[in-house]
Amino acid sequence: MTASADSTQPYAPDSVETPRMPQAPAEPLPPLACDAHCHVFGPYERFPLWHPSSYAAPDASAQRYLRMLDTLGAARGVLVQPAPYGTHPDALLDALAQGGDRLRGIAVADPSVSDAQLRALYDGGVRGLRFVEARNPAGNLFPGSVGFDQVAALAPRMKHHGLHAQLWAPCDTYLRHLPALAKLDLPLVIDHLGSLVPARGDQDPAFQLLRGLLADGRLWMKLTLCRVGSAPDYENARLLHDAFVAANPDQVLWGSDWPFVRMGASAPSADALVAVAQRWLGDDALRRKVWVDNPARLYGFD
């Protein structure tokens, strides 16, 4: 199925990149833990790309993804549709079907999507739509993305169909868009620690806006360290991480971001990211909130 019509033609990439697979974490994840941010790609003979990719295409099929979750010890997972698939959710829906009730998805759609298609997405395990305001040097959205300016038009139908909005943008972009988006009465989930710049510290207006809205319960935050902090210990991002957790421990989520697109040889191992989170979260009660209770509530896991 397609959530709306794209004008481009599908294509299979000439070469693919094998993603880094984890080892079992030294300290196990809590039972029913969820990795709330990953992507699947391919198999490309069945699920070709629909838009030019700005990164090497990964060999990240549903089968490989499920093996990754099993090795990590994550009973649940959330898959986010990547931009090269545009508004075509076939690969996502196939992966969700393979994972059954252990998986949920975030799709991509624009205002041309029908109510029947939104219902089909929900019935297939999708619980949100992703909107991206990241642009290339020419000022254009990455091919296949739907921008923040489309959220308001979709918001009433998203709410009706039980879908939230997941947002990804450079941190300063949130200053322009979030005050209005936060008034839509629609759950908002922010990717990758708000794409903040750790060197700006806690006086950064973007950080203060995000932390304030999180504290007020008006958004959720994904604690995906590898897109903000510096490996291997990510210590430069700890202030941001800890401030968000303290602001509202009931609305923060953990994600690995496997298969780590655009990272190449510098891609971390997901078990190393788990180890950092285990240390920073500290006690079992907080770990259970972040890895189990919060994603269960947002994504509707039983």
Side-chain angles (χ1 to χ4, degrees):
M1 71 171 279
T2 60
S4 68
D6 283 345
S7 60
T8 54
Q9 295 298 312
Y11 74 97
D14 295 331
S15 61
V16 296
E17 184 175 82
T18 301
R20 184 173 183 180
M21 297 293 280
Q23 298 179 344
E27 185 175 359
L29 287 166
L32 301 179
C34 178
D35 183 341
H37 196 104
C38 292
H39 310 280
V40 291
F41 294 79
Y44 294 106
E45 64 272 15
R46 292 183 60 205
F47 305 115
L49 302 178
W50 282 84
H51 292 274
S53 177
S54 60
Y55 45 79
D59 183 7
S61 66
Q63 294 89 341
R64 177 166 280 168
Y65 163 67
L66 290 169
R67 290 198 303 272
M68 188 280 298
L69 283 187
D70 290 341
T71 303
L72 207 58
R76 296 166 172 169
V78 178
L79 286 169
V80 180
Q81 184 166 315
Y85 279 110
T87 58
H88 295 261
D90 303 29
L92 174 68
L93 291 175
D94 179 77
L96 296 179
Q98 291 190 49
D101 198 51
R102 76 183 290 194
L103 300 183
R104 296 291 185 267
I106 305 298
V108 177
D110 59 36
S112 71
V113 68
S114 69
D115 285 306
Q117 288 170 322
L118 289 174
R119 174 53 56 187
L121 289 173
Y122 185 91
D123 290 345
V126 170
R127 294 297 179 267
L129 300 179
R130 194 187 202 195
F131 300 87
V132 172
E133 201 58 35
R135 297 177 180 269
N136 63 23
N140 301 313
L141 290 174
F142 288 137
S145 301
V146 176
F148 287 6
D149 58 347
Q150 303 300 304
V151 179
L154 277 163
R157 292 194 295 146
M158 290 173 65
K159 185 176 179 182
H160 175 75
H161 290 286
L163 303 173
H164 64 259
Q166 182 170 313
L167 308 176
W168 177 49
C171 60
D172 290 335
T173 302
Y174 292 116
L175 294 170
R176 298 195 300 273
H177 292 274
L178 267 185
L181 293 175
K183 297 176 182 177
L184 292 176
D185 191 28
L186 184 72
L188 305 176
V189 180
I190 306 298
D191 279 352
H192 308 324
L193 287 169
S195 305
L196 291 163
V197 179
R200 296 186 186 181
D202 58 7
Q203 298 307 303
D204 180 2
F207 167 72
Q208 293 182 355
L209 172 67
L210 290 163
R211 182 179 59 181
L213 290 173
L214 177 62
D216 291 342
R218 296 166 70 188
L219 56 79
W220 297 67
M221 179 63 66
K222 287 194 178 181
L223 306 174
T224 34
L225 283 176
C226 67
R227 296 297 174 181
V228 172
S230 301
D233 60 9
Y234 302 96
E235 193 62 35
N236 62 329
R238 182 159 190 178
L239 180 149
L240 306 174
H241 172 281
D242 289 358
F244 286 139
V245 172
N248 191 341
D250 295 319
Q251 290 189 198
V252 289
L253 308 154
W254 183 89
S256 67
D257 201 23
W258 187 91
F260 309 112
V261 298
R262 292 191 181 89
M263 299 192 76
S266 65
S269 182
D271 57 289
L273 298 172
V274 167
V276 172
Q278 295 272 27
R279 292 196 304 273
W280 291 5
L281 294 174
D283 64 81
D284 288 341
L286 184 55
R287 292 172 180 174
R288 181 169 179 84
K289 274 183 182 289
V290 173
W291 267 308
V292 183
D293 299 341
N294 296 350
R297 192 169 74 257
L298 178 63
Y299 299 108
F301 290 111
D302 293 333

